Amino acid sequence: GWCPLSPAGALTTQLLVEPPWRPAVLWDQVTLTCQGSGTAGATTWYKDGQLWWQKGPDHFTVTESGTYRCDRRGTGLSPHIRVFNERLVLQLPAVPLVEGDTVTLRCRG
């Protein structure tokens, strides 16, 4: 399922990632979804700190590595997510973790 990369908040913009593992890797066919209570259909995307896609869709499949974040008018900028183009990666679930949690790691290549 979809997992937020930041804690849920009523008045914040969140960036969701599928599949729900981090770090995200390009060859996983990562889909990013911008979610917030701001204006629907008015999503602005940023890549590597630069305006990248104005009035874009709420979700898309990533085709280039980089650092992404989105903006929904009314709830502001999301946290960022970096999508890597690595051959080998150690991943953990893209959910908030606290000390003492049991977590499954994945080594993938």
Side-chain angles (χ1 to χ4, degrees):
W2 296 96
C3 289
L5 289 178
S6 63
L11 299 175
T12 61
T13 301
Q14 296 178 47
L15 190 51
L16 310 179
V17 62
E18 175 67 27
W21 293 89
R22 65 182 181 198
V25 286
L26 197 57
W27 44 264
D28 244 352
Q29 296 185 0
V30 173
T31 297
L32 298 181
T33 299
C34 191
Q35 197 172 75
S37 57
T39 308
T43 302
T44 300
W45 292 93
Y46 295 86
K47 180 178 180 283
D48 300 326
Q50 307 270 335
L51 177 63
W52 181 64
W53 196 349
Q54 203 162 13
K55 295 184 180 176
D58 293 338
H59 67 276
F60 72 98
T61 300
V62 179
T63 58
E64 298 177 357
S65 59
T67 302
Y68 295 86
R69 67 190 315 190
C70 66
D71 180 70
R72 292 287 295 269
R73 188 176 304 150
T75 52
L77 280 168
S78 72
H80 68 273
I81 178 175
R82 187 163 175 201
V83 180
F84 293 87
N85 190 19
E86 300 289 339
R87 291 185 178 187
L88 183 65
V89 64
L90 182 64
Q91 293 179 309
L92 65 150
V95 295
L97 299 171
V98 295
E99 187 177 346
D101 284 351
T102 299
V103 62
T104 299
L105 301 178
R106 299 195 317 178
C107 183
R108 301 177 65 225

mmCIF file of all heavy atoms in Angstrom, residues 72-103:
data_model
loop_
_atom_site.group_PDB
_atom_site.id
_atom_site.type_symbol
_atom_site.label_atom_id
_atom_site.label_comp_id
_atom_site.label_asym_id
_atom_site.label_seq_id
_atom_site.Cartn_x
_atom_site.Cartn_y
_atom_site.Cartn_z
ATOM 1 N N ARG A 72 1.094 21.710 -2.876
ATOM 2 C CA ARG A 72 -0.352 21.812 -3.108
ATOM 3 C C ARG A 72 -0.799 23.142 -2.547
ATOM 4 O O ARG A 72 -0.613 23.423 -1.357
ATOM 5 C CB ARG A 72 -1.099 20.692 -2.383
ATOM 6 C CG ARG A 72 -0.854 19.296 -2.927
ATOM 7 C CD ARG A 72 -1.534 19.046 -4.256
ATOM 8 N NE ARG A 72 -2.979 19.085 -4.169
ATOM 9 C CZ ARG A 72 -3.737 18.028 -3.931
ATOM 10 N NH1 ARG A 72 -3.204 16.854 -3.739
ATOM 11 N NH2 ARG A 72 -5.054 18.156 -3.889
ATOM 12 N N ARG A 73 -1.380 23.963 -3.394
ATOM 13 C CA ARG A 73 -1.834 25.277 -2.957
ATOM 14 C C ARG A 73 -2.784 25.134 -1.778
ATOM 15 O O ARG A 73 -3.760 24.396 -1.837
ATOM 16 C CB ARG A 73 -2.543 25.995 -4.099
ATOM 17 C CG ARG A 73 -2.879 27.437 -3.784
ATOM 18 C CD ARG A 73 -3.492 28.142 -4.971
ATOM 19 N NE ARG A 73 -2.620 28.058 -6.129
ATOM 20 C CZ ARG A 73 -3.074 28.039 -7.380
ATOM 21 N NH1 ARG A 73 -4.359 28.082 -7.623
ATOM 22 N NH2 ARG A 73 -2.218 27.965 -8.373
ATOM 23 N N GLY A 74 -2.437 25.746 -0.676
ATOM 24 C CA GLY A 74 -3.266 25.681 0.529
ATOM 25 C C GLY A 74 -2.622 24.896 1.652
ATOM 26 O O GLY A 74 -2.879 25.158 2.808
ATOM 27 N N THR A 75 -1.774 23.914 1.297
ATOM 28 C CA THR A 75 -1.096 23.150 2.345
ATOM 29 C C THR A 75 0.424 23.189 2.226
ATOM 30 O O THR A 75 1.120 22.691 3.094
ATOM 31 C CB THR A 75 -1.570 21.675 2.372
ATOM 32 O OG1 THR A 75 -1.455 21.120 1.059
ATOM 33 C CG2 THR A 75 -3.011 21.579 2.846
ATOM 34 N N GLY A 76 0.946 23.763 1.157
ATOM 35 C CA GLY A 76 2.377 24.014 1.065
ATOM 36 C C GLY A 76 3.218 22.856 0.555
ATOM 37 O O GLY A 76 2.726 21.882 -0.001
ATOM 38 N N LEU A 77 4.529 22.998 0.775
ATOM 39 C CA LEU A 77 5.516 22.043 0.270
ATOM 40 C C LEU A 77 5.547 20.759 1.090
ATOM 41 O O LEU A 77 5.428 20.791 2.311
ATOM 42 C CB LEU A 77 6.904 22.676 0.302
ATOM 43 C CG LEU A 77 7.252 23.631 -0.843
ATOM 44 C CD1 LEU A 77 8.529 24.387 -0.513
ATOM 45 C CD2 LEU A 77 7.395 22.887 -2.150
ATOM 46 N N SER A 78 5.759 19.669 0.400
ATOM 47 C CA SER A 78 5.927 18.372 1.052
ATOM 48 C C SER A 78 7.374 18.217 1.499
ATOM 49 O O SER A 78 8.252 18.956 1.050
ATOM 50 C CB SER A 78 5.607 17.255 0.057
ATOM 51 O OG SER A 78 6.645 17.159 -0.918
ATOM 52 N N PRO A 79 7.645 17.228 2.347
ATOM 53 C CA PRO A 79 9.034 16.822 2.558
ATOM 54 C C PRO A 79 9.567 16.296 1.219
ATOM 55 O O PRO A 79 8.788 15.978 0.314
ATOM 56 C CB PRO A 79 8.930 15.675 3.578
ATOM 57 C CG PRO A 79 7.598 15.844 4.208
ATOM 58 C CD PRO A 79 6.713 16.461 3.165
ATOM 59 N N HIS A 80 10.874 16.177 1.097
ATOM 60 C CA HIS A 80 11.440 15.699 -0.156
ATOM 61 C C HIS A 80 11.724 14.197 -0.087
ATOM 62 O O HIS A 80 11.824 13.618 0.980
ATOM 63 C CB HIS A 80 12.723 16.463 -0.503
ATOM 64 C CG HIS A 80 13.855 16.179 0.424
ATOM 65 N ND1 HIS A 80 14.050 16.877 1.589
ATOM 66 C CD2 HIS A 80 14.853 15.266 0.368
ATOM 67 C CE1 HIS A 80 15.116 16.402 2.206
ATOM 68 N NE2 HIS A 80 15.622 15.425 1.486
ATOM 69 N N ILE A 81 11.822 13.604 -1.260
ATOM 70 C CA ILE A 81 12.255 12.216 -1.374
ATOM 71 C C ILE A 81 13.296 12.150 -2.480
ATOM 72 O O ILE A 81 13.146 12.769 -3.524
ATOM 73 C CB ILE A 81 11.098 11.234 -1.673
ATOM 74 C CG1 ILE A 81 11.654 9.812 -1.813
ATOM 75 C CG2 ILE A 81 10.332 11.628 -2.901
ATOM 76 C CD1 ILE A 81 10.630 8.731 -1.995
ATOM 77 N N ARG A 82 14.345 11.387 -2.211
ATOM 78 C CA ARG A 82 15.389 11.198 -3.208
ATOM 79 C C ARG A 82 15.207 9.820 -3.837
ATOM 80 O O ARG A 82 15.035 8.828 -3.128
ATOM 81 C CB ARG A 82 16.765 11.318 -2.565
ATOM 82 C CG ARG A 82 17.869 11.307 -3.583
ATOM 83 C CD ARG A 82 19.156 11.815 -3.012
ATOM 84 N NE ARG A 82 20.194 11.669 -4.018
ATOM 85 C CZ ARG A 82 21.477 11.638 -3.752
ATOM 86 N NH1 ARG A 82 21.895 11.752 -2.510
ATOM 87 N NH2 ARG A 82 22.353 11.509 -4.716
ATOM 88 N N VAL A 83 15.239 9.791 -5.151
ATOM 89 C CA VAL A 83 15.156 8.542 -5.899
ATOM 90 C C VAL A 83 16.542 8.291 -6.481
ATOM 91 O O VAL A 83 17.073 9.118 -7.218
ATOM 92 C CB VAL A 83 14.085 8.604 -7.006
ATOM 93 C CG1 VAL A 83 14.028 7.287 -7.776
ATOM 94 C CG2 VAL A 83 12.721 8.929 -6.410
ATOM 95 N N PHE A 84 17.124 7.160 -6.118
ATOM 96 C CA PHE A 84 18.493 6.835 -6.498
ATOM 97 C C PHE A 84 18.519 5.944 -7.743
ATOM 98 O O PHE A 84 17.553 5.256 -8.054
ATOM 99 C CB PHE A 84 19.190 6.076 -5.356
ATOM 100 C CG PHE A 84 19.416 6.902 -4.127
ATOM 101 C CD1 PHE A 84 18.432 7.001 -3.154
ATOM 102 C CD2 PHE A 84 20.611 7.581 -3.936
ATOM 103 C CE1 PHE A 84 18.632 7.760 -2.010
ATOM 104 C CE2 PHE A 84 20.817 8.342 -2.798
ATOM 105 C CZ PHE A 84 19.828 8.434 -1.838
ATOM 106 N N ASN A 85 19.658 5.944 -8.416
ATOM 107 C CA ASN A 85 19.889 5.029 -9.524
ATOM 108 C C ASN A 85 21.095 4.173 -9.152
ATOM 109 O O ASN A 85 22.173 4.295 -9.713
ATOM 110 C CB ASN A 85 20.131 5.787 -10.823
ATOM 111 C CG ASN A 85 20.139 4.872 -12.033
ATOM 112 O OD1 ASN A 85 19.641 3.758 -11.966
ATOM 113 N ND2 ASN A 85 20.717 5.329 -13.124
ATOM 114 N N GLU A 86 20.907 3.319 -8.142
ATOM 115 C CA GLU A 86 21.976 2.470 -7.605
ATOM 116 C C GLU A 86 21.745 1.021 -8.019
ATOM 117 O O GLU A 86 20.608 0.575 -8.132
ATOM 118 C CB GLU A 86 22.007 2.569 -6.076
ATOM 119 C CG GLU A 86 22.242 3.964 -5.532
ATOM 120 C CD GLU A 86 23.668 4.457 -5.750
ATOM 121 O OE1 GLU A 86 24.573 3.618 -5.943
ATOM 122 O OE2 GLU A 86 23.861 5.674 -5.734
ATOM 123 N N ARG A 87 22.816 0.282 -8.189
ATOM 124 C CA ARG A 87 22.698 -1.132 -8.565
ATOM 125 C C ARG A 87 22.395 -2.026 -7.372
ATOM 126 O O ARG A 87 21.769 -3.068 -7.516
ATOM 127 C CB ARG A 87 23.979 -1.603 -9.226
ATOM 128 C CG ARG A 87 24.212 -0.992 -10.579
ATOM 129 C CD ARG A 87 25.432 -1.582 -11.231
ATOM 130 N NE ARG A 87 25.629 -1.033 -12.556
ATOM 131 C CZ ARG A 87 26.536 -1.470 -13.401
ATOM 132 N NH1 ARG A 87 27.326 -2.472 -13.055
ATOM 133 N NH2 ARG A 87 26.672 -0.924 -14.586
ATOM 134 N N LEU A 88 22.853 -1.636 -6.205
ATOM 135 C CA LEU A 88 22.653 -2.430 -4.991
ATOM 136 C C LEU A 88 22.184 -1.495 -3.887
ATOM 137 O O LEU A 88 22.769 -0.424 -3.685
ATOM 138 C CB LEU A 88 23.962 -3.113 -4.584
ATOM 139 C CG LEU A 88 23.908 -4.041 -3.370
ATOM 140 C CD1 LEU A 88 23.027 -5.252 -3.658
ATOM 141 C CD2 LEU A 88 25.317 -4.485 -2.994
ATOM 142 N N VAL A 89 21.136 -1.880 -3.170
ATOM 143 C CA VAL A 89 20.579 -0.988 -2.160
ATOM 144 C C VAL A 89 20.062 -1.783 -0.964
ATOM 145 O O VAL A 89 19.534 -2.885 -1.109
ATOM 146 C CB VAL A 89 19.452 -0.107 -2.764
ATOM 147 C CG1 VAL A 89 18.272 -0.948 -3.212
ATOM 148 C CG2 VAL A 89 18.999 0.968 -1.806
ATOM 149 N N LEU A 90 20.275 -1.243 0.235
ATOM 150 C CA LEU A 90 19.717 -1.782 1.466
ATOM 151 C C LEU A 90 18.504 -0.923 1.805
ATOM 152 O O LEU A 90 18.634 0.279 2.028
ATOM 153 C CB LEU A 90 20.742 -1.732 2.598
ATOM 154 C CG LEU A 90 20.285 -2.313 3.938
ATOM 155 C CD1 LEU A 90 20.011 -3.813 3.807
ATOM 156 C CD2 LEU A 90 21.338 -2.052 5.012
ATOM 157 N N GLN A 91 17.319 -1.532 1.817
ATOM 158 C CA GLN A 91 16.080 -0.778 1.999
ATOM 159 C C GLN A 91 15.398 -1.121 3.310
ATOM 160 O O GLN A 91 15.534 -2.226 3.837
ATOM 161 C CB GLN A 91 15.102 -1.078 0.858
ATOM 162 C CG GLN A 91 15.553 -0.584 -0.494
ATOM 163 C CD GLN A 91 14.555 -0.929 -1.576
ATOM 164 O OE1 GLN A 91 14.136 -2.077 -1.700
ATOM 165 N NE2 GLN A 91 14.172 0.061 -2.356
ATOM 166 N N LEU A 92 14.620 -0.147 3.814
ATOM 167 C CA LEU A 92 13.752 -0.366 4.958
ATOM 168 C C LEU A 92 12.380 0.182 4.628
ATOM 169 O O LEU A 92 12.238 0.978 3.702
ATOM 170 C CB LEU A 92 14.318 0.286 6.218
ATOM 171 C CG LEU A 92 14.438 1.800 6.262
ATOM 172 C CD1 LEU A 92 14.275 2.256 7.701
ATOM 173 C CD2 LEU A 92 15.793 2.231 5.760
ATOM 174 N N PRO A 93 11.337 -0.236 5.334
ATOM 175 C CA PRO A 93 9.981 0.235 5.029
ATOM 176 C C PRO A 93 9.885 1.755 5.149
ATOM 177 O O PRO A 93 10.469 2.359 6.041
ATOM 178 C CB PRO A 93 9.113 -0.451 6.086
ATOM 179 C CG PRO A 93 9.907 -1.632 6.526
ATOM 180 C CD PRO A 93 11.343 -1.217 6.435
ATOM 181 N N ALA A 94 9.120 2.348 4.231
ATOM 182 C CA ALA A 94 8.947 3.803 4.214
ATOM 183 C C ALA A 94 7.824 4.217 5.162
ATOM 184 O O ALA A 94 6.813 4.779 4.747
ATOM 185 C CB ALA A 94 8.665 4.280 2.793
ATOM 186 N N VAL A 95 8.009 3.907 6.433
ATOM 187 C CA VAL A 95 7.051 4.297 7.471
ATOM 188 C C VAL A 95 7.850 4.893 8.622
ATOM 189 O O VAL A 95 9.026 4.566 8.801
ATOM 190 C CB VAL A 95 6.205 3.096 7.969
ATOM 191 C CG1 VAL A 95 5.326 2.563 6.854
ATOM 192 C CG2 VAL A 95 7.085 1.993 8.521
ATOM 193 N N PRO A 96 7.234 5.775 9.403
ATOM 194 C CA PRO A 96 7.959 6.324 10.552
ATOM 195 C C PRO A 96 8.345 5.206 11.523
ATOM 196 O O PRO A 96 7.545 4.316 11.814
ATOM 197 C CB PRO A 96 6.950 7.286 11.183
ATOM 198 C CG PRO A 96 5.978 7.602 10.094
ATOM 199 C CD PRO A 96 5.908 6.374 9.242
ATOM 200 N N LEU A 97 9.574 5.231 11.999
ATOM 201 C CA LEU A 97 10.062 4.227 12.942
ATOM 202 C C LEU A 97 10.527 4.896 14.225
ATOM 203 O O LEU A 97 11.017 6.024 14.194
ATOM 204 C CB LEU A 97 11.242 3.454 12.328
ATOM 205 C CG LEU A 97 10.954 2.669 11.052
ATOM 206 C CD1 LEU A 97 12.255 2.141 10.458
ATOM 207 C CD2 LEU A 97 9.995 1.524 11.334
ATOM 208 N N VAL A 98 10.368 4.200 15.319
ATOM 209 C CA VAL A 98 10.876 4.692 16.601
ATOM 210 C C VAL A 98 11.761 3.609 17.202
ATOM 211 O O VAL A 98 11.674 2.428 16.836
ATOM 212 C CB VAL A 98 9.741 5.071 17.581
ATOM 213 C CG1 VAL A 98 8.931 6.247 17.048
ATOM 214 C CG2 VAL A 98 8.846 3.885 17.859
ATOM 215 N N GLU A 99 12.606 4.009 18.125
ATOM 216 C CA GLU A 99 13.513 3.069 18.768
ATOM 217 C C GLU A 99 12.738 1.910 19.383
ATOM 218 O O GLU A 99 11.713 2.113 20.032
ATOM 219 C CB GLU A 99 14.326 3.790 19.851
ATOM 220 C CG GLU A 99 15.411 2.933 20.453
ATOM 221 C CD GLU A 99 16.249 3.690 21.467
ATOM 222 O OE1 GLU A 99 16.164 4.932 21.517
ATOM 223 O OE2 GLU A 99 16.984 3.019 22.210
ATOM 224 N N GLY A 100 13.216 0.700 19.135
ATOM 225 C CA GLY A 100 12.565 -0.485 19.654
ATOM 226 C C GLY A 100 11.670 -1.188 18.649
ATOM 227 O O GLY A 100 11.264 -2.337 18.877
ATOM 228 N N ASP A 101 11.339 -0.519 17.532
ATOM 229 C CA ASP A 101 10.525 -1.159 16.501
ATOM 230 C C ASP A 101 11.301 -2.309 15.863
ATOM 231 O O ASP A 101 12.517 -2.234 15.687
ATOM 232 C CB ASP A 101 10.152 -0.161 15.391
ATOM 233 C CG ASP A 101 9.047 0.801 15.789
ATOM 234 O OD1 ASP A 101 8.442 0.595 16.859
ATOM 235 O OD2 ASP A 101 8.793 1.749 15.031
ATOM 236 N N THR A 102 10.596 -3.360 15.510
ATOM 237 C CA THR A 102 11.181 -4.436 14.720
ATOM 238 C C THR A 102 11.008 -4.059 13.255
ATOM 239 O O THR A 102 9.921 -3.657 12.842
ATOM 240 C CB THR A 102 10.469 -5.775 15.003
ATOM 241 O OG1 THR A 102 10.624 -6.090 16.379
ATOM 242 C CG2 THR A 102 11.041 -6.888 14.142
ATOM 243 N N VAL A 103 12.084 -4.168 12.493
ATOM 244 C CA VAL A 103 12.028 -3.742 11.101
ATOM 245 C C VAL A 103 12.683 -4.802 10.215
ATOM 246 O O VAL A 103 13.661 -5.438 10.601
ATOM 247 C CB VAL A 103 12.699 -2.358 10.913
ATOM 248 C CG1 VAL A 103 14.165 -2.407 11.281
ATOM 249 C CG2 VAL A 103 12.521 -1.846 9.515
#
